[in-house]
Amino acid sequence: MTSDVFLLFGTRSVEAEPVRLSAGALSADFVNGNLRTIRHGGTEVLRAIACVVRDRDWGIYEPTLTGLVIDQDAESFTISYSATCTGPDGSRLGFRATIKGSADGELVFDVNALPESDFETNRCGFCVLHPIAGLAGSPVTVEHTDGHVVATKLPELIDPWQPFKDIRAIIHQVRPGVTAECRMEGDTFEMEDQRNWSDASYKTYVRPLALPWPYMLPAGQPLRQTISLRITDEGKAPAAAVASEPVRVELGEAGSRLPDIGVVIYPEDVETALANLSTLTTLGPQQLLFHYDPTRGHGLDALRAFARLATAYAAETTLECVVACAGDLDTELSGVAGLVRETGLKLSAIAVSPSIDRQSTPPGSAWPECPPLEKVYAAARRAFPDIRLGGGMFSYFTELNRKRVPADQLDFITHCTCPIVHAADDLSIMQSLEALPFITQSARGIFGAKPYRIGPSTIAMRQNPYGGATKPNPGGQRIAMADRDPRHTGQFAAAWTIGYAARVAPAGLEMLTLSSFTGPFGVLASSGEPIADGSPRPLFQAIKGLCELAGLAHVATRTSDETKVLALAGRSASGKTVAWLANLTANDVRVDISAFGRDHLVMAPYATTRLG
């Protein structure tokens, strides 16, 4: 890494360098006690094998490792260590792990755990991640716990529930002539389609969700689990070559219009936005998305503040309105409409969603009491008859996929995403971009050509559908489900944002929202950041660039290695093409930009570059 880590990540903390393990054609990275990027002959076989312990809000315990020993030679590697997880009440869970890999394609990860005291958890055990690139929709063989074997396929469109249950083993083709069998022992495993949460994987995890959680691990009662990977190579196809050429950018045909760019505004952000009106104008969003939540005390004052900003900054306006559903729907929504009229707030659209739908209903859980969405939307239409009505989920695609709204009553569909639901390391966040095309394709598969919006989608989590609250992060660490994330303040967020827009561009969205204006999700810095308080974060230029592309014809653009560089291009009516590139890695990347009449450029880690 050649750049200042503080400027890149908004924190001086750096992730531990992985230990590269190899045995013949088999390789893997050892990171914080787990394995990821498991390859054979350069082809990714599994994205990760991880022993994970989660708390009652689905947060991840970070175990303390001791006694780590790593031995490896050309033909094998062996790792052993002890680890301890400590609960908020002081309870402790200890475990001993061993990992063995050999050149014949065998890999075994074995864990013996022993709670030192009663230990509460939502999940304790292995998670195995199969990648989605090249595997989505492909044939697999699933062996169930009763010995029954089924030839089936991984889902192409995103499965809202578990595609496979009661799993003992999964077999898939790595490349022609090479197969991988992943065997899971010690408990009952099932698979979920993690693309629901924008993770770039299918996750096979321990303990069925239909069983109660949280649950207690009794003190002194041992548990053991083992993951065994066996790769069979018939030698029919060569291993994947390691590319050393520059990443090549290619331009295709022009298509649908690139979306308007929105900025979400919370009531507490309005005064800062008004004080920085010239900066907002420079940023240039086409849409202001006003977040209004009566369950959190928003009322007349919040709408008055929105009205002041809407008067000062000319843009389309949408009210993101949480519906409490605590009484008569007509009374509640006509009450909101009355307050909107009283304040003089001019709205272009309103999006509504019951408050309860912000919480997830996992498999096996009882659906919470909620009025039928048909009645919610009908009441909203009566209260706001003269503007566009949207609906969907103010949480994530997961919830929209599981509770499919009656779209015929709506003018547009909306949902958000968040990349730190399950993991918060740098690589996982950038890999989450791979899942976005599957999300938009799946949404289109459900709702067809209905106008479609995404956002607010940011690295940090604004609301936790899977627990009581988001995780506070005062120390600015890399934490899953955190209410703020230091990388939002660095160049990392700018690269992720351009990459996000590039991945969803083919979906023909009408609006994309990837930031607020101020605050932890905003484009302006606060104290303690790599740049001065109140000045534009690196994200500012990325959002500004997207605002300038809005309305142009999307030019189909691809790169020869989309794990390293993503590109987004638009073409004006006069025929001028403008493109943004994003380096998704922590390394310098050489890029062939001959498609733009230039030779090449070298992009610094997480750099974003405008061409044209």
Side-chain angles (χ1 to χ4, degrees):
M1 188 179 300
T2 60
S3 300
D4 185 330
V5 296
F6 194 43
L7 294 176
L8 292 180
F9 304 114
T11 174
R12 299 197 187 281
S13 173
V14 295
E15 293 182 323
E17 286 290 326
V19 177
R20 176 59 54 86
L21 307 168
S22 61
L26 177 68
S27 67
D29 288 344
F30 178 72
V31 185
N32 296 329
N34 294 312
L35 297 178
R36 67 181 308 162
T37 317
I38 300 162
R39 293 190 175 102
H40 184 271
T43 304
E44 187 175 33
V45 179
L46 295 177
R47 185 136 284 184
I49 303 175
C51 183
V52 177
V53 184
R54 287 189 174 271
D55 64 24
R56 66 180 300 113
D57 289 323
W58 294 102
I60 299 175
Y61 286 110
E62 291 294 335
T64 301
L65 271 60
T66 57
L68 175 63
V69 177
I70 302 176
D71 293 315
Q72 64 173 322
D73 55 36
E75 297 297 311
S76 66
F77 55 81
T78 302
I79 297 175
S80 62
Y81 65 88
S82 297
T84 303
C85 296
T86 303
D89 59 354
S91 58
R92 289 164 59 88
L93 171 71
F95 57 90
R96 181 71 180 167
T98 59
I99 302 170
K100 296 181 180 180
S102 60
D104 61 3
E106 297 278 351
L107 177 65
V108 178
F109 196 157
D110 184 77
V111 166
N112 287 275
L114 184 68
E116 298 177 17
S117 54
D118 289 352
F119 191 89
E120 184 185 66
T121 182
N122 274 2
R123 175 175 295 153
C124 177
F126 278 113
C127 291
V128 177
L129 306 185
H130 283 76
I132 59 176
L135 279 187
S138 67
V140 293
T141 300
V142 177
E143 179 184 329
H144 294 283
T145 53
D146 62 1
H148 184 54
V149 177
V150 178
T152 182
K153 290 184 176 182
L154 290 167
E156 176 70 33
L157 297 182
I158 301 174
D159 197 314
W161 308 107
Q162 300 100 320
F164 311 130
K165 296 182 178 181
D166 300 322
I167 302 171
R168 181 61 66 229
I170 301 174
I171 302 172
H172 77 277
Q173 179 178 276
V174 176
R175 59 182 184 271
V178 179
T179 59
E181 177 190 89
C182 183
R183 185 162 294 274
M184 295 151 278
E185 297 174 294
D187 208 325
T188 299
F189 289 76
E190 62 186 21
M191 177 185 282
E192 67 186 12
D193 195 333
Q194 276 207 134
R195 297 175 299 171
N196 274 296
W197 295 270
S198 75
D199 296 75
S201 58
Y202 301 99
K203 180 172 74 178
T204 305
Y205 55 91
V206 76
R207 188 175 167 94
L209 281 173
L211 296 176
W213 47 266
Y215 59 98
M216 197 68 69
L217 299 175
Q221 182 171 312
L223 63 152
R224 180 181 181 183
Q225 294 174 19
T226 305
I227 303 297
S228 303
L229 178 66
R230 182 165 59 90
I231 300 171
T232 304
D233 185 356
E234 298 176 2
K236 293 182 177 179
V242 177
S244 58
E245 298 84 9
V247 175
R248 186 178 62 259
V249 180
E250 299 175 351
L251 296 177
E253 298 299 317
S256 60
R257 174 186 181 277
L258 286 168
D260 285 353
I261 300 301
V263 168
V264 62
I265 303 290
Y266 298 92
E268 61 270 23
D269 298 336
V270 171
E271 292 304 321
T272 303
L274 288 168
N276 293 273
L277 197 59
S278 62
T279 305
L280 179 60
T281 301
T282 300
L283 184 67
Q286 289 79 29
Q287 300 259 2
L288 296 180
L289 179 62
F290 295 129
H291 180 72
Y292 181 77
D293 184 358
T295 71
R296 298 184 181 177
H298 298 170
L300 185 62
D301 289 344
L303 294 170
R304 279 179 176 151
F306 294 152
R308 290 173 60 207
L309 183 56
T311 299
Y313 179 76
E316 296 290 300
T317 55
T318 297
L319 191 68
E320 184 186 53
C321 182
V322 175
V323 185
C325 298
D328 182 76
L329 290 170
D330 281 310
T331 300
E332 179 179 357
L333 285 161
S334 63
V336 175
L339 295 178
V340 168
R341 287 191 297 271
E342 182 177 345
T343 62
L345 173 59
K346 302 299 182 184
L347 293 175
S348 309
I350 183 171
V352 297
S353 182
S355 180
I356 193 66
D357 278 348
R358 290 182 294 180
Q359 293 304 118
S360 180
T361 302
S365 302
W367 284 92
E369 188 172 333
C370 181
L373 288 176
E374 289 83 354
K375 292 187 176 181
V376 175
Y377 297 156
R381 184 73 77 181
R382 287 190 291 269
F384 295 91
D386 301 321
I387 60 174
R388 298 179 73 218
L389 174 64
M393 294 292 155
F394 294 165
S395 52
Y396 308 130
F397 176 75
T398 319
E399 286 66 56
L400 182 62
N401 200 15
R402 290 175 174 174
K403 188 175 183 178
R404 300 183 177 186
V405 303
D408 57 319
Q409 292 183 247
L410 300 171
D411 298 307
F412 61 88
I413 296 293
T414 185
H415 68 81
C416 310
T417 69
C418 177
I420 60 168
V421 173
H422 293 112
D425 60 279
D426 299 337
L427 180 58
S428 291
I429 289 176
M430 285 303 183
Q431 287 179 334
S432 71
L433 300 175
E434 297 175 21
L436 295 175
F438 292 99
I439 287 178
T440 56
Q441 291 163 20
S442 298
R444 287 297 188 204
I446 300 167
F447 301 110
K450 178 71 66 174
Y452 179 18
R453 301 181 177 191
I454 293 180
S457 296
T458 56
I459 295 175
M461 178 180 274
R462 66 172 183 161
Q463 182 260 337
N464 184 0
Y466 315 110
T470 54
K471 298 291 181 183
N473 191 13
Q477 302 301 307
R478 293 168 170 86
I479 300 174
M481 298 188 178
D483 59 0
R484 58 188 63 222
D485 191 287
R487 288 161 293 193
H488 182 88
T489 70
Q491 186 62 41
F492 184 97
W496 181 80
T497 296
I498 294 296
Y500 194 113
R503 286 292 197 181
V504 301
L509 303 178
E510 71 170 28
M511 178 178 168
L512 177 63
T513 302
L514 296 174
S515 76
S516 61
F517 184 62
T518 63
F521 311 113
V523 297
L524 299 185
S526 55
S527 60
E529 296 187 15
I531 56 177
D533 189 2
S535 59
R537 291 167 171 159
L539 178 64
F540 183 97
Q541 290 301 324
I543 298 293
K544 182 175 182 291
L546 297 181
C547 292
E548 293 170 350
L549 287 175
L552 301 186
H554 172 232
V555 177
T557 309
R558 66 176 301 275
T559 69
S560 57
D561 190 342
E562 293 186 333
T563 68
K564 293 181 178 178
V565 176
L566 285 175
L568 174 68
R571 185 168 296 157
S572 68
S574 64
K576 181 181 179 181
T577 298
V578 176
W580 278 84
L581 309 183
N583 178 1
L584 309 181
T585 77
N587 302 304
D588 293 344
V589 176
R590 192 164 179 260
V591 185
D592 177 347
I593 52 172
S594 54
F596 294 88
R598 295 165 58 183
D599 182 17
H600 73 275
L601 59 84
V602 176
M603 298 188 71
Y606 302 114
T608 56
T609 300
R610 183 184 186 276
L611 300 174

